[in-house]
Amino acid sequence: DISTTLAGVKLPNLLFNASGVCCQTEADLKLMVESESGALITKSATVEQRDGNPAPRYTPLPNGIGSINSMGLPNEGYEYYLEYAKKYDYNSEKPLFISLSGLSLDDNVKMCKAFVDAKLPCVLEINYSCPNVPGKPQMGYDMEAMEKSLSVLAPLIKKPFGIKLPPYFDIAHFDQAAAVFNKFDNLAFVTCINSVGNGLAIDFVTEQALIKPKDGFGGLGGLMVLNTALANVNAFHRRLPGKQIVGVGGVVSGKEAFLHVLAGASAVQIGTMLKEEGPGVFARIAKELSDIMVAKGYKTLEDFRGKVKTL
Ligand code: DHB
């Protein structure tokens, strides 16, 4: 049994897409609905439709170590995802999550209001961690801005919601961020981690950057970020009693999904591996995780969630 509950909604299994992968258009979202994922989340929306950055803007890196991207928030605009959410079949037992990534607090207020007014059973994930819009720093690294944003959005949303965070690398930052998040009761989950921002991948032979935007700088994902992801999941699991953690980063098989749950994750999102393998990844990793649980004698995720042993 790999079912879970997130923000009060039941997922038949804990796996779904990381926002940004296979979720921009209705055709993408249909593939997610038809897959064996336990939920789906839409591409981060802005108020206006965006084409994003020039291509090439995503590429896998050699030897399966991961990926780099600088998409630049291409999306259909929030009204497209609101219409999708209005038409969505909520009896399908696959919950719908909506990612919002306003370029200002006013934009986030406008988008949140529209979803709140529509009174839908979908769950909002506010994105504080897009590293790829030139001139727009990630709000996740500005604790005061995040607190101000949450102090407006949390009472507006009223019901349980989540936020998508960038990776933190310093214990003081885990402490500061957790102190902010603990002030908001209906902040139900934090999703850790977005890509490790502003890496640079260079081809050895051609001596060229691998992606075009921002002189080749982009967010890193995949196996190379696994240990950063596990640290962020566990750091917030320890610091946010009564809240849930969605683990994302470096899941390439059932083993990494298992490690995310051991670190404290209540659900697990898949980005790079979904992009590389396609929606069949969910059935594969669900099976691998189930086999690991049988081998270890665990019946449910609660049997080992957050139970990483320290030395
Ligand atoms: C994009 C990348 C992100 O990591 C994110 O959180 C939102 C958008 C992008 O480049 O499209």
Side-chain angles (χ1 to χ4, degrees), residues 83-128:
E83 287 312 304
Y84 181 82
K86 286 178 179 171
K87 287 184 294 185
Y88 189 72
D89 175 16
Y90 295 96
N91 294 322
S92 71
E93 73 181 33
K94 186 185 290 213
L96 174 65
F97 292 76
I98 299 285
S99 174
L100 300 178
S101 193
L103 300 178
S104 67
L105 178 52
D106 281 354
D107 284 2
N108 274 329
V109 167
K110 179 174 185 160
M111 294 191 289
C112 285
K113 270 201 180 121
F115 276 92
V116 169
D117 290 346
K119 294 187 168 43
L120 301 167
C122 57
V123 178
L124 298 180
E125 184 186 87
I126 310 299
N127 184 3
Y128 286 142

Side-chain angles (χ1 to χ4, degrees), residues 109-278:
V109 167
K110 179 174 185 160
M111 294 191 289
C112 285
K113 270 201 180 121
F115 276 92
V116 169
D117 290 346
K119 294 187 168 43
L120 301 167
C122 57
V123 178
L124 298 180
E125 184 186 87
I126 310 299
N127 184 3
Y128 286 142
S129 48
C130 174
N132 297 336
V133 177
K136 288 275 173 194
Q138 294 172 70
M139 200 190 296
Y141 290 135
D142 182 339
M143 303 297 167
E144 285 177 11
M146 246 189 329
E147 179 162 358
K148 179 171 177 225
S149 174
L150 286 168
S151 70
V152 174
L153 299 182
L156 178 64
I157 298 168
K158 288 185 195 77
K159 67 177 192 168
F161 73 104
I163 56 178
K164 178 78 168 277
L165 296 176
Y168 300 97
F169 302 94
D170 194 288
I171 301 297
H173 295 161
F174 292 135
D175 291 340
Q176 289 165 13
V180 170
F181 304 151
N182 278 322
K183 293 182 182 178
F184 302 96
D185 282 344
N186 63 321
L187 175 57
F189 67 91
V190 299
T191 302
C192 304
I193 57 175
N194 208 315
S195 57
V196 173
N198 294 293
L200 175 63
I202 306 172
D203 185 85
F204 175 75
V205 174
T206 64
E207 305 178 6
Q208 271 182 323
L210 293 187
I211 57 172
K212 176 162 173 169
K214 290 177 63 181
D215 298 326
F217 285 56
L220 305 174
L223 194 53
M224 72 168 97
V225 312
L226 173 66
N227 301 90
T228 298
L230 294 175
N232 278 261
V233 168
N234 191 57
F236 287 114
H237 177 70
R238 291 174 183 277
R239 285 169 177 75
L240 302 176
K243 300 195 191 300
Q244 295 181 292
I245 317 298
V246 176
V248 49
V251 175
V252 300
S253 74
K255 184 174 156 188
E256 295 79 30
F258 179 83
L259 296 177
H260 267 279
V261 177
L262 261 190
S266 289
V268 170
Q269 297 175 344
I270 302 177
T272 298
M273 206 61 208
L274 168 58
K275 177 80 179 165
E276 292 305 307
E277 182 173 334

